[in-house]
Amino acid sequence: MTKILMVCHGNICRSPMAEFVFRDMAAKAGVEVEVASAATSAEEIGNPVYPPAREKLREHGISCEGKCARQMN
């Protein structure tokens, strides 16, 4: 299985949005893939997805419920 890691600075907006949008697109295309996201910094570890990013995903019918920022290792 292909594994993809989306990375950004804090893992609360850009990389989670990329993770969930890509996961949604892959599911709709019938492609089996493991997608995750992580931060390069430790600043936001444990924080949820940034509210405006969460709202934008919700507008497109994509849930990011339960996602908390984590640092890549």
Side-chain angles (χ1 to χ4, degrees), residues 54-67:
R54 190 170 50 238
E55 181 57 34
K56 187 54 72 175
L57 288 169
R58 190 174 312 139
E59 286 176 17
H60 292 275
I62 301 171
S63 173
C64 60
E65 206 59 42
K67 173 68 180 176

Side-chain angles (χ1 to χ4, degrees), residues 7-11 38-42 70-72:
V7 178
C8 74
H9 181 77
N11 193 223
T40 57
S41 75
R70 71 177 187 95
Q71 189 174 25
M72 60 186 245

Side-chain angles (χ1 to χ4, degrees), residues 6-29:
M6 307 295 189
V7 178
C8 74
H9 181 77
N11 193 223
I12 61 166
C13 55
R14 293 165 297 207
S15 60
M17 288 184 76
E19 171 188 355
F20 289 99
V21 168
F22 191 90
R23 186 179 291 153
D24 182 68
M25 291 172 64
K28 288 176 179 173

